[in-house]
């Protein structure tokens, strides 16, 4: 096999109608400025389920880690064999947002400025049945191989297993980054976290790393609250499904904070109607953040903003890959982020139906699809 050849890869393909299948795609050799990555593992999150109804066919997946298999012209800083984490908000490094240090808002990747050129590779990159096929977030990590711009990958330390590293690329980055980069939680601050799935538990760990004095987990499931305590929550509040239950949770959180409310509240449920709920938990002048990606309709009472509350919808935890991914990896290696406990179950690609069912049932904190070992292919 030479790096000048296209490669065949098994991949998960969504049809745009809510279904997916496993089939073979063809992944091109890298062109200038590109790298081809052999995926070792890909995490699953609810966005992957949402992608089943995006315009298809589409190669699924956006939380990936693997090994660089070949590189294109001009890529001298990423040798073949480098272990890498993929970044779904790919910075170009030269648009106004990237220059301002806001790579997650890259105007090239987001398609804001057509003058910056295509946000995907120019020559097709992946084909299915002879035709070009799209890839989720221009990555398509539920595939044995993917072809991306070099800006989409960040080297990972050898000591961090890639089946753990892969989940840093979305859920962990979103949760921890929303605490550290977006809310800028300080030592002794109080924090409430609504929803204790993968993102919520990452928020809790980020708050612990930041030195928050009180970390209050709010969830409707007792098992989720038990997990939250294991990851660093100092207090737990169980909540029901209706608005009266939510108000009781608000009252309980206020009692835990001397009647003030918390300094920072994070919504990590993914439930559209709860998008503005964190405003009810924060004190005057506090910060409410919606970090789950909920994007449907939700009602709001303008009084919830009183007085001087901030409401943020941070994208990807303000990710700057060159700063954040090495930092997350260090925190994982020193135990401040417990990736081993977060990866509840590992699956093969053929077990994706079961993995998706477990995702929807809430059985896992994080499920991971594995494609093979980290050892070089012959």
């Amino acid at each position: 096999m030479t790096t000048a050849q296209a490669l065949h890869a098994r991949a998960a393909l969504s049809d745009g109608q809510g279904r997916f299948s496993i089939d073979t795609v063809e992944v091109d050799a890298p062109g200038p400025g590109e790298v081809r990555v052999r995926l070792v593992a890909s995490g699953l999150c609810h966005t992957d389920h949402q992608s089943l109804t995006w315009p298809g066919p589409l190669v699924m997946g956006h939380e990936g880690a693997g090994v660089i298999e070949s590189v294109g012209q001009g890529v001298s800083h990423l040798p073949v064999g480098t272990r890498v984490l993929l970044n779904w908000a790919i910075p170009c490094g030269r648009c106004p947002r990237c220059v301002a240090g806001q790579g997650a808002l890259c105007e090239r990747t987001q398609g804001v400025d057509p003058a910056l050129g295509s946000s995907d590779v120019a020559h097709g990159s992946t084909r299915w049945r002879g035709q070009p096929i799209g890839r989720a977030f221009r990555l398509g990590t539920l595939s044995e191989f993917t072809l991306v711009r070099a800006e989409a990958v960040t080297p990972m330390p050898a000591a961090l297993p890639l089946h753990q590293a892969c989940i840093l690329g979305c859920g962990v980055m979103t949760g921890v980054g929303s605490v550290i980069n977006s809310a800028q939680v300080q030592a002794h601050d109080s924090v409430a976290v609504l929803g204790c799935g993968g993102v919520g538990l990452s928020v809790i760990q980020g708050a612990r790393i930041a030195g928050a004095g009180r970390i209050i987990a709010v969830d409707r499931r007792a098992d989720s609250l038990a997990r939250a305590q294991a990851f660093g929550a100092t207090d737990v509040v169980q909540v029901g499904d209706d608005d009266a239950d939510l108000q009781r949770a608000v009252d309980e959180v206020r009692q835990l904070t001397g009647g003030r409310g918390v300094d920072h509240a994070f919504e990590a449920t993914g439930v559209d109607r709860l998008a503005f709920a964190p405003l009810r938990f924060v004190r005057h002048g506090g910060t409410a953040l919606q970090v789950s990606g909920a994007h449907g309709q939700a009602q709001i009472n303008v009084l919830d903003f009183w007085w001087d509350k901030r409401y943020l919808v941070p994208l990807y935890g303000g990710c700057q890959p060159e700063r954040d991914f090495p930092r997350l990896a260090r925190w994982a290696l020193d135990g401040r982020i417990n990736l081993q406990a977060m990866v509840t179950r590992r699956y093969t690609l053929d077990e994706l139906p079961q993995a998706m069912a477990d995702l929807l049932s809430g059985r896992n904190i994080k499920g991971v699809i594995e494609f093979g070992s980290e050892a070089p292919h012959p």
Side-chain angles (χ1 to χ4, degrees):
M1 179 180 68
T2 68
T3 58
Q5 297 175 330
L7 294 176
H8 289 93
R10 298 181 73 237
L13 309 180
S14 67
D15 66 358
Q17 303 297 318
R19 298 177 297 271
F20 65 88
S21 60
I22 309 300
D23 208 339
T24 299
V25 297
E26 190 175 30
V27 182
D28 285 348
E34 297 170 354
V35 298
R36 189 163 58 191
V37 177
R38 176 175 63 82
L39 274 301
V40 172
S42 180
L44 291 177
C45 79
H46 284 273
T47 302
D48 296 312
H49 184 260
Q50 295 170 4
S51 75
L52 296 178
T53 58
W54 296 352
L58 184 77
V59 181
M60 300 166 60
H62 65 290
E63 280 189 349
V67 178
I68 293 181
E69 177 270 341
S70 54
V71 302
Q73 181 180 356
V75 181
S76 58
H77 64 294
L78 293 167
V80 170
T82 301
R83 305 164 78 256
V84 293
L85 175 66
L86 279 77
N87 161 35
W88 63 258
I90 307 169
C92 71
R94 61 182 186 273
C95 75
R97 295 278 56 81
C98 285
V99 171
Q102 297 175 312
L105 303 178
C106 175
E107 295 183 356
R108 181 184 185 192
T109 293
Q110 304 297 341
V112 173
D113 187 353
L116 289 170
S118 171
S119 59
D120 210 333
V121 291
H123 64 282
S125 90
T126 303
R127 291 179 298 279
W128 177 58
R129 298 180 179 177
Q131 300 297 318
I133 186 173
R135 298 170 300 153
F137 294 96
R138 304 169 184 87
L139 297 180
T141 60
L142 285 173
S143 173
E144 293 173 314
F145 290 92
T146 189
L147 180 64
V148 296
R149 299 204 321 260
E151 298 97 326
V153 302
T154 301
M156 284 286 101
L160 185 60
L162 292 182
H163 76 269
Q164 297 177 14
C166 68
I167 69 171
L168 296 175
C170 183
V172 175
M173 179 67 239
T174 296
V176 175
S178 293
V179 174
I180 303 296
N181 300 330
S182 304
Q184 298 181 5
V185 172
Q186 301 298 304
H188 311 299
D189 281 356
S190 55
V191 168
V193 184
L194 285 68
C196 299
V199 173
L201 293 176
S202 297
V203 172
I204 288 170
Q205 292 180 93
R208 177 170 42 76
I209 290 168
R214 182 155 239 155
I215 305 171
I216 306 170
V218 182
D219 201 287
R220 61 187 180 86
R221 295 174 49 153
D223 59 339
S224 295
L225 293 174
R227 285 174 174 174
Q229 288 181 299
F231 279 90
T234 61
D235 304 271
V236 297
V237 174
Q238 191 162 4
V239 63
D241 291 325
D242 61 28
D243 195 64
D245 288 325
L246 181 63
Q247 185 56 50
R248 282 191 288 271
V250 171
D251 294 340
E252 191 168 345
V253 168
R254 290 191 178 279
Q255 289 174 6
L256 290 168
T257 54
R260 298 169 63 247
V262 293
D263 298 307
H264 313 274
F266 299 79
E267 181 279 314
T269 68
V271 178
D272 295 341
R273 67 179 179 83
L274 297 179
F276 294 109
L279 284 164
R280 299 168 64 176
F281 288 84
V282 297
R283 60 167 172 79
H284 297 325
T287 303
L289 300 94
Q290 191 268 89
V291 302
S292 72
H295 53 271
Q297 294 186 353
Q299 292 183 335
I300 184 172
N301 185 338
V302 70
L303 293 177
D304 290 339
F305 279 97
W306 287 15
W307 295 92
D308 203 25
K309 296 177 182 179
R310 292 194 307 155
Y311 180 76
L312 303 177
V313 188
L315 178 66
Y316 205 9
C319 180
Q320 293 184 32
E322 72 283 357
R323 174 196 67 191
D324 292 318
F325 285 170
R327 180 166 63 177
L328 291 177
R330 288 196 304 273
W331 287 341
L333 288 172
D334 69 19
R336 281 181 280 182
I337 299 176
N338 190 346
L339 296 183
Q340 182 175 359
M342 290 191 73
V343 178
T344 314
R345 186 173 173 185
R346 295 148 70 177
Y347 306 83
T348 67
L349 184 61
D350 289 319
E351 293 174 319
L352 183 58
Q354 182 62 54
M356 294 292 277
D358 291 342
L359 169 74
L360 297 177
S361 73
R363 171 182 177 180
N364 296 331
I365 299 174
K366 292 292 291 187
V368 167
I369 303 296
E370 291 186 294
F371 298 94
S373 72
E374 299 184 23
H377 276 198

